[in-house]
């Protein structure tokens, strides 16, 4: 029993060293073993098939290009069948059946080689090419199914170490067994390896099914390409998949050239088949051991620290270096070096990086595209490589030396690097697409409803005797096509219901329905709403220019005062009108009567002042109407003040922001002034004497104005002490950036604020950890809840700050993905942020949002900030010294509830707080302390 603790501690340290999270170690290690067995058998069979093919009584090395071409054709045929089977079989069934099929093939070729037909060796080498592609690809297909994008970044480098170990152990084992049983009998040795792979697949499939995978397996089975042609179309239709296919293709072509160069060099250095098999096995083994050591030390750290952006370039750069060496010397050492680079990196870090490219794709598309790219495109590349080698290195044509052929390697590596560079950006774009929210606006929904409703149905609704049904029909017509007869809409302009009349006019005016001028002229005398009258007059002006039905000057003598005032305001806007003097007289009389003896006209008067020219003397009446006792009048006056844009009205509008009845209209009115009002808004925002309620409304005004100047003014105010005001400023900046991503903010101002919020997040998490989780006190439970809510608010603030410097929609989509609770979406969002953000924010944020335990997150806090966990009493003291009144109130309540008298002195400075809740909580807490002291 005493050894259990240290043993558990050692196990924990090992898991942390390899970056395993709970539940990841077993599937990752089993996949590593799976890849080890697959690669070990592949290495052995490649060595044996080449040795048997190149035996003195069989084929010459310069015939290998033809083998590559035949292999490409054969793979295309086999994989077309494989893709069809993949569309019909569950993934585990496909993998297990394939492995059993390959095991039977090994027995068949062993028997065939005993018969000694010359073509059997050629068939074996072609079959080995298909075997190598399909078996290794299946390991990564299963890994992509089990792990998310985020897990893949950490674990794929560990899994790929199985490939390196497979090269090392498989090479040594094959070398040993070849010396004992010969190259031909080696085929039977690897049958148990395939059977073990089948067992691993069955266990992993049963033990790692996730809820979202199980529930959607049927739908995934039906989606995606189901044959070779559909796979090709899917890849051609996606820039991202096309680039992956091109990357794999160019890489495979270079691999074929390197393999030919290496085999040619080795054949001339070691001609005996058994010795060649042993040499190749030893070579693969020793190179794999070296690669494994480098992989364990560097690869997983490279993937975790730099990710795909760096790892995807390692193999092409290594090939460029190896080819350069081969240009200088074609000896065995140069061949070993370039093949060693290819063998070591291709099956380790390059494979991890390539597999990571597939993870953000939808499951079914990923499986089908990956099957085609890895199995068909790569083998077509082998064929292209073979076709290149036939004229370049064949007997009858150019017959280049290996040094000359190395220049072809260099020429191919350059576009390889270019494709890798483009894929870096497309990888981020694909992650962005995978986390993007497809929001549907209410307007879009209404438009869909309108277009899906038959015209006859809408027409019947408009003819209904039920006013509510008619309003519903008009609402649909508003967002659909106004194809109904103008007579039907025109009749509604004279409806008894004001709401129906106004809706009908809005549709007629907005959609330009013709031939409604007679009904609109009647509408003018039925209506008293200024906005509707204005729209009606606008319609008459556009569609009845000859004024056959109503003359604007005649309306100055209309029986209704509101109609006279509205017509006068419209005539006053025409500088060349001969009736302008009379219109001026009518308008002034209407405003004067509203202010003096006709209170019922004050609202229409306030509305019509916003439509009249702003230079009229009577516009001064707006200031009086903004102080009217009737809230309806004040709202109308505020709206008109925004249209008039008189500087004298800014101060009263600022005052209205403090009154919740008028703040909406006041905000819109101030925003209507545009950028010219920003200096006044800035002064009010920074003025501590100005109403706190009004100041908290001002950021929304800045957001409504928008633009670079408004954003810069708000960003300069982010350090204000009022936390609620800070949050409002941050939300406003987010709205500005979402509406106009071209707005730029100073990173030197934003980054320190982001880092400060992240430090606070770690601090609050540490405090939450020391607050007792199982305490019986209600105050402790309340405090824990308050801290948890504070952590949620802090995370939102952090993402809003990040969104000020990065594309805001992408950042908010990532935040949504992290908060969604969906495993795949969360992982893609994390990977997207990891690929986009820069340090130090990246290294501070990722531990917070990854699926890590609080203890692991706090370890990062200690490493980043030297953070030390406080005691519970120290934590309460820190909260009482905070600037957040809510947390201060919770801490004061908890301290008093548990009788922590040593904290009482910290309450005294808070007794005079301006926040009523905090002041009352502190008063009650101090009273409890005094009562407890009196009793003792």
């Amino acid at each position: 029993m005493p050894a259990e603790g240290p043993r558990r501690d050692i196990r924990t340290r090992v898991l942390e060293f390899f970056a395993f999270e709970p539940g990841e170690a077993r599937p990752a290690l089993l996949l590593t073993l799976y890849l080890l067995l697959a690669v070990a058998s592949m290495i052995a069979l490649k060595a044996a098939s080449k040795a048997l093919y190149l035996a003195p009584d069989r084929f010459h090395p310069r015939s290998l290009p033809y083998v590559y071409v035949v292999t490409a054709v054969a793979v295309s045929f086999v994989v077309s069948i494989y893709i069809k089977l993949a569309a019909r079989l569950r993934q585990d069934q496909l993998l297990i059946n394939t492995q059993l099929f390959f095991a039977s093939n090994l027995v068949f070729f062993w028997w065939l080689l005993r018969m000694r037909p010359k073509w059997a060796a050629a068939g074996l080498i072609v079959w080995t090419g298909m075997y190598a592609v399909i078996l290794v690809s299946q390991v990564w297909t299963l890994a992509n199914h089990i792990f998310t994008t985020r897990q893949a970044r950490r674990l794929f480098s560990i899994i790929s170490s199985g490939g390196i170990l497979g090269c090392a152990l498989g090479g040594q084992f094959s070398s040993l067994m070849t010396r004992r049983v010969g190259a031909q009998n080696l085929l039977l040795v690897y049958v148990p390896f395939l059977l073990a792979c089948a067992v691993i697949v069955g266990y992993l499939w049963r033990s790692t099914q996730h809820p979202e995978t199980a529930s959607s397996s049927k739908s995934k089975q039906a989606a995606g390409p189901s044959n070779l042609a559909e796979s090709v179309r899917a890849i051609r239709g996606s820039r991202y998949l096309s680039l992956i296919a091109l990357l794999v293709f160019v890489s495979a072509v270079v691999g074929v050239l390197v393999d030919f160069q290496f085999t040619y060099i080795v054949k001339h250095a070691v001609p005996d088949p058994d010795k060649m098999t042993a040499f190749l096995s030893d070579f693969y083994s020793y190179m794999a051991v070296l690669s494994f050591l480098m992989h364990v030390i560097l690869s997983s750290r490279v993937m975790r620290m730099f990710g795909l952006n760096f790892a995807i370039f390692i193999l092409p750069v290594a090939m460029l270096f190896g080819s350069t060496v081969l240009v200088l010397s074609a000896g065995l050492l140069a061949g070993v070096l370039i093949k060693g680079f290819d063998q070591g990196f291709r099956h380790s870090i390059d494979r991890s990086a390539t597999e990571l490219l597939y993870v953000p794709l939808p499951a079914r598309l990923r499986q089908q595209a990956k099957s085609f790219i890895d199995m068909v495109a790569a083998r077509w590349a082998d064929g292209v490589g073979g076709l290149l080698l036939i004229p370049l290195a064949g007997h009858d044509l150019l017959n280049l030396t290996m040094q000359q052929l190395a220049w072809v390697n260099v020429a191919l590596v350059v576009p390889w690097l270019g494709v890798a560079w483009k894929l870096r950006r497309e990888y981020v774009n694909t992650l962005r697409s995978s986390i993007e929210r497809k929001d549907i606006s209410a307007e879009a929904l209404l438009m869909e409803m309108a277009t899906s409703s038959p015209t006859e149905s809408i027409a019947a609704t408009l003819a209904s005797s039920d006013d509510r049904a008619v309003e519903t029909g008009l609402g649909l017509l508003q967002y659909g096509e106004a194809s109904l007869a103008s007579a039907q809409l025109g009749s509604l302009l004279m409806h008894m219901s004001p709401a129906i009349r106004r809706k009908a006019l809005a549709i007629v005016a907005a959609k330009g329905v013709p031939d409604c001028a007679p009904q609109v002229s009647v509408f003018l005398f039925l209506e008293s709403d200024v906005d509707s009258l204005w729209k009606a007059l606008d319609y008459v002006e556009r569609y009845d220019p000859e004024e056959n039905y109503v003359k604007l000057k005649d309306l100055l003598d209309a029986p209704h005062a509101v109609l006279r005032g509205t017509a006068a305001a419209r005539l006053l806007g025409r500088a060349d009108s001969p009736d302008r003097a009379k219109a001026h007289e009518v308008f002034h009389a209407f405003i004067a009567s509203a202010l003096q003896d006709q209170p019922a006209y004050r609202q229409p008067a306030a509305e019509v002042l916003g439509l009249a020219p702003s230079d009229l003397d009577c516009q001064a009446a707006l200031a009086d109407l903004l102080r009217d006792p009737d809230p309806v009048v004040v709202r109308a006056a505020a709206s008109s003040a925004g249209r008039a844009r008189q500087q004298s009205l800014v101060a009263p509008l600022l005052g209205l922001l403090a009154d919740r009845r008028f703040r909406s209209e006041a905000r819109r009115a101030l925003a209507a002034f545009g950028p010219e009002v920003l200096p006044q808004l800035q002064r009010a925002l920074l003025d501590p004497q100005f109403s706190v309620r009004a100041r908290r409304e001002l950021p929304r005004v800045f957001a409504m104005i928008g633009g670079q100047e408004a954003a810069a003014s708000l960003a300069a105010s982010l350090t204000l002490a009022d936390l609620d005001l800070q949050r409002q400023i941050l939300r406003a900046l987010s709205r500005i950036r979402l509406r106009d991503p071209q707005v730029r903010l100073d990173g030197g101002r934003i980054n320190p604020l982001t880092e400060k919020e992240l430090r606070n997040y770690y601090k609050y998490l540490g405090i939450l950890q020391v607050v007792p989780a199982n305490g019986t006190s209600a105050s402790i439970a309340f405090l824990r809840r308050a801290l948890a809510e504070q952590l949620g608010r802090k995370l939102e603030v952090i993402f809003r700050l990040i969104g000020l410097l990065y594309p805001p929609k992408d950042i908010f989509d990532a935040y949504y993905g992290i908060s969604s609770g969906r495993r795949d979406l969360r992982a893609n969002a994390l990977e997207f942020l990891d690929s986009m953000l820069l340090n130090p924010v990246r290294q501070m944020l990722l531990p917070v949002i990854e699926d890590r335990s609080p203890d692991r997150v706090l370890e990062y806090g200690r490493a980043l900030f030297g953070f030390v966990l406080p005691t519970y009493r120290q934590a309460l003291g820190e909260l009482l010294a905070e600037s957040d009144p809510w947390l201060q109130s919770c801490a004061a309540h908890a301290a008093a509830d548990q009788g922590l008298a040593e904290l009482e002195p910290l309450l005294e400075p808070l007794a005079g707080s301006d926040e009523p809740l905090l002041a009352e909580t502190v008063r009650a807490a101090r009273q409890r302390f005094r009562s407890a002291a009196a009793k003792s």
Side-chain angles (χ1 to χ4, degrees), residues 287-306:
M287 288 305 302
V289 170
L290 179 61
S291 298
F292 179 75
L293 293 175
M294 293 179 61
H295 185 70
V296 170
I297 296 171
L298 296 177
S299 293
S300 59
R301 288 173 172 79
V302 166
M303 288 298 290
R304 289 203 302 267
M305 294 176 64
F306 303 104

mmCIF file of all heavy atoms in Angstrom, residues 287-306:
data_model
loop_
_atom_site.group_PDB
_atom_site.id
_atom_site.type_symbol
_atom_site.label_atom_id
_atom_site.label_comp_id
_atom_site.label_asym_id
_atom_site.label_seq_id
_atom_site.Cartn_x
_atom_site.Cartn_y
_atom_site.Cartn_z
ATOM 1 N N MET A 287 18.001 3.555 -39.259
ATOM 2 C CA MET A 287 17.474 4.896 -39.520
ATOM 3 C C MET A 287 16.229 5.172 -38.675
ATOM 4 O O MET A 287 16.000 6.291 -38.210
ATOM 5 C CB MET A 287 17.131 5.053 -41.000
ATOM 6 C CG MET A 287 18.328 5.139 -41.917
ATOM 7 S SD MET A 287 19.490 6.458 -41.471
ATOM 8 C CE MET A 287 18.438 7.889 -41.537
ATOM 9 N N ALA A 288 15.444 4.135 -38.462
ATOM 10 C CA ALA A 288 14.228 4.314 -37.671
ATOM 11 C C ALA A 288 14.556 4.587 -36.211
ATOM 12 O O ALA A 288 13.873 5.371 -35.553
ATOM 13 C CB ALA A 288 13.342 3.088 -37.794
ATOM 14 N N VAL A 289 15.595 3.921 -35.693
ATOM 15 C CA VAL A 289 15.994 4.180 -34.303
ATOM 16 C C VAL A 289 16.410 5.635 -34.138
ATOM 17 O O VAL A 289 15.993 6.327 -33.190
ATOM 18 C CB VAL A 289 17.130 3.234 -33.881
ATOM 19 C CG1 VAL A 289 17.712 3.665 -32.531
ATOM 20 C CG2 VAL A 289 16.626 1.813 -33.798
ATOM 21 N N LEU A 290 17.224 6.120 -35.077
ATOM 22 C CA LEU A 290 17.638 7.517 -35.016
ATOM 23 C C LEU A 290 16.437 8.452 -35.154
ATOM 24 O O LEU A 290 16.295 9.437 -34.423
ATOM 25 C CB LEU A 290 18.664 7.796 -36.124
ATOM 26 C CG LEU A 290 19.190 9.235 -36.217
ATOM 27 C CD1 LEU A 290 19.895 9.620 -34.922
ATOM 28 C CD2 LEU A 290 20.130 9.384 -37.413
ATOM 29 N N SER A 291 15.541 8.140 -36.087
ATOM 30 C CA SER A 291 14.351 8.975 -36.273
ATOM 31 C C SER A 291 13.467 8.952 -35.033
ATOM 32 O O SER A 291 12.882 9.975 -34.663
ATOM 33 C CB SER A 291 13.541 8.478 -37.480
ATOM 34 O OG SER A 291 14.297 8.573 -38.650
ATOM 35 N N PHE A 292 13.373 7.786 -34.404
ATOM 36 C CA PHE A 292 12.541 7.682 -33.209
ATOM 37 C C PHE A 292 13.071 8.572 -32.096
ATOM 38 O O PHE A 292 12.299 9.261 -31.408
ATOM 39 C CB PHE A 292 12.476 6.228 -32.739
ATOM 40 C CG PHE A 292 11.658 6.042 -31.490
ATOM 41 C CD1 PHE A 292 10.278 6.099 -31.536
ATOM 42 C CD2 PHE A 292 12.277 5.828 -30.268
ATOM 43 C CE1 PHE A 292 9.517 5.948 -30.391
ATOM 44 C CE2 PHE A 292 11.530 5.673 -29.124
ATOM 45 C CZ PHE A 292 10.141 5.728 -29.178
ATOM 46 N N LEU A 293 14.387 8.571 -31.913
ATOM 47 C CA LEU A 293 14.976 9.413 -30.867
ATOM 48 C C LEU A 293 14.698 10.890 -31.157
ATOM 49 O O LEU A 293 14.315 11.653 -30.273
ATOM 50 C CB LEU A 293 16.486 9.158 -30.770
ATOM 51 C CG LEU A 293 16.879 7.762 -30.262
ATOM 52 C CD1 LEU A 293 18.385 7.594 -30.323
ATOM 53 C CD2 LEU A 293 16.362 7.552 -28.848
ATOM 54 N N MET A 294 14.878 11.291 -32.408
ATOM 55 C CA MET A 294 14.582 12.678 -32.781
ATOM 56 C C MET A 294 13.097 12.976 -32.624
ATOM 57 O O MET A 294 12.710 14.062 -32.182
ATOM 58 C CB MET A 294 15.018 12.938 -34.220
ATOM 59 C CG MET A 294 16.517 12.883 -34.439
ATOM 60 S SD MET A 294 16.939 13.179 -36.162
ATOM 61 C CE MET A 294 16.305 14.826 -36.389
ATOM 62 N N HIS A 295 12.283 11.990 -32.969
ATOM 63 C CA HIS A 295 10.836 12.190 -32.896
ATOM 64 C C HIS A 295 10.371 12.381 -31.462
ATOM 65 O O HIS A 295 9.589 13.288 -31.158
ATOM 66 C CB HIS A 295 10.144 10.980 -33.513
ATOM 67 C CG HIS A 295 8.661 11.108 -33.599
ATOM 68 N ND1 HIS A 295 8.044 11.975 -34.454
ATOM 69 C CD2 HIS A 295 7.673 10.471 -32.930
ATOM 70 C CE1 HIS A 295 6.736 11.874 -34.322
ATOM 71 N NE2 HIS A 295 6.478 10.968 -33.396
ATOM 72 N N VAL A 296 10.870 11.532 -30.553
ATOM 73 C CA VAL A 296 10.467 11.639 -29.152
ATOM 74 C C VAL A 296 10.919 12.965 -28.555
ATOM 75 O O VAL A 296 10.193 13.606 -27.785
ATOM 76 C CB VAL A 296 11.034 10.451 -28.345
ATOM 77 C CG1 VAL A 296 10.841 10.663 -26.852
ATOM 78 C CG2 VAL A 296 10.367 9.157 -28.778
ATOM 79 N N ILE A 297 12.120 13.390 -28.935
ATOM 80 C CA ILE A 297 12.663 14.613 -28.349
ATOM 81 C C ILE A 297 12.041 15.853 -28.957
ATOM 82 O O ILE A 297 11.725 16.833 -28.271
ATOM 83 C CB ILE A 297 14.202 14.646 -28.525
ATOM 84 C CG1 ILE A 297 14.837 13.472 -27.745
ATOM 85 C CG2 ILE A 297 14.775 15.973 -28.057
ATOM 86 C CD1 ILE A 297 16.311 13.276 -28.031
ATOM 87 N N LEU A 298 11.819 15.830 -30.288
ATOM 88 C CA LEU A 298 11.433 17.062 -30.974
ATOM 89 C C LEU A 298 10.011 17.089 -31.521
ATOM 90 O O LEU A 298 9.315 18.098 -31.401
ATOM 91 C CB LEU A 298 12.409 17.321 -32.144
ATOM 92 C CG LEU A 298 13.870 17.588 -31.780
ATOM 93 C CD1 LEU A 298 14.684 17.737 -33.049
ATOM 94 C CD2 LEU A 298 13.992 18.834 -30.916
ATOM 95 N N SER A 299 9.563 15.976 -32.130
ATOM 96 C CA SER A 299 8.351 16.041 -32.950
ATOM 97 C C SER A 299 7.121 16.467 -32.177
ATOM 98 O O SER A 299 6.389 17.370 -32.595
ATOM 99 C CB SER A 299 8.094 14.683 -33.614
ATOM 100 O OG SER A 299 9.102 14.422 -34.555
ATOM 101 N N SER A 300 6.840 15.813 -31.046
ATOM 102 C CA SER A 300 5.626 16.147 -30.306
ATOM 103 C C SER A 300 5.673 17.581 -29.815
ATOM 104 O O SER A 300 4.660 18.280 -29.794
ATOM 105 C CB SER A 300 5.448 15.188 -29.128
ATOM 106 O OG SER A 300 6.547 15.255 -28.250
ATOM 107 N N ARG A 301 6.884 18.038 -29.438
ATOM 108 C CA ARG A 301 7.007 19.429 -28.983
ATOM 109 C C ARG A 301 6.829 20.412 -30.140
ATOM 110 O O ARG A 301 6.232 21.474 -29.982
ATOM 111 C CB ARG A 301 8.359 19.635 -28.309
ATOM 112 C CG ARG A 301 8.440 18.955 -26.939
ATOM 113 C CD ARG A 301 9.840 19.028 -26.340
ATOM 114 N NE ARG A 301 9.849 18.539 -24.980
ATOM 115 C CZ ARG A 301 9.845 17.261 -24.655
ATOM 116 N NH1 ARG A 301 9.821 16.338 -25.600
ATOM 117 N NH2 ARG A 301 9.847 16.893 -23.388
ATOM 118 N N VAL A 302 7.361 20.038 -31.316
ATOM 119 C CA VAL A 302 7.183 20.893 -32.490
ATOM 120 C C VAL A 302 5.701 21.014 -32.831
ATOM 121 O O VAL A 302 5.193 22.111 -33.096
ATOM 122 C CB VAL A 302 7.973 20.333 -33.689
ATOM 123 C CG1 VAL A 302 7.538 21.007 -34.993
ATOM 124 C CG2 VAL A 302 9.460 20.540 -33.476
ATOM 125 N N MET A 303 4.979 19.887 -32.808
ATOM 126 C CA MET A 303 3.554 19.927 -33.134
ATOM 127 C C MET A 303 2.774 20.719 -32.097
ATOM 128 O O MET A 303 1.840 21.457 -32.443
ATOM 129 C CB MET A 303 3.004 18.505 -33.225
ATOM 130 C CG MET A 303 3.461 17.749 -34.457
ATOM 131 S SD MET A 303 2.920 18.491 -36.013
ATOM 132 C CE MET A 303 1.173 18.171 -35.941
ATOM 133 N N ARG A 304 3.120 20.575 -30.819
ATOM 134 C CA ARG A 304 2.388 21.297 -29.790
ATOM 135 C C ARG A 304 2.700 22.792 -29.820
ATOM 136 O O ARG A 304 1.823 23.629 -29.624
ATOM 137 C CB ARG A 304 2.709 20.736 -28.397
ATOM 138 C CG ARG A 304 2.126 19.366 -28.133
ATOM 139 C CD ARG A 304 1.979 19.086 -26.648
ATOM 140 N NE ARG A 304 3.225 19.183 -25.931
ATOM 141 C CZ ARG A 304 4.039 18.157 -25.688
ATOM 142 N NH1 ARG A 304 3.723 16.955 -26.124
ATOM 143 N NH2 ARG A 304 5.150 18.316 -25.018
ATOM 144 N N MET A 305 3.981 23.126 -30.065
ATOM 145 C CA MET A 305 4.389 24.533 -29.983
ATOM 146 C C MET A 305 4.143 25.287 -31.279
ATOM 147 O O MET A 305 3.709 26.435 -31.266
ATOM 148 C CB MET A 305 5.862 24.616 -29.600
ATOM 149 C CG MET A 305 6.158 24.092 -28.191
ATOM 150 S SD MET A 305 7.923 24.098 -27.807
ATOM 151 C CE MET A 305 8.271 25.857 -27.876
ATOM 152 N N PHE A 306 4.443 24.646 -32.427
ATOM 153 C CA PHE A 306 4.368 25.349 -33.702
ATOM 154 C C PHE A 306 3.263 24.823 -34.614
ATOM 155 O O PHE A 306 2.811 25.523 -35.507
ATOM 156 C CB PHE A 306 5.710 25.261 -34.435
ATOM 157 C CG PHE A 306 6.869 25.795 -33.646
ATOM 158 C CD1 PHE A 306 7.769 24.934 -33.050
ATOM 159 C CD2 PHE A 306 7.041 27.148 -33.473
ATOM 160 C CE1 PHE A 306 8.835 25.421 -32.317
ATOM 161 C CE2 PHE A 306 8.092 27.644 -32.739
ATOM 162 C CZ PHE A 306 8.998 26.778 -32.155
#
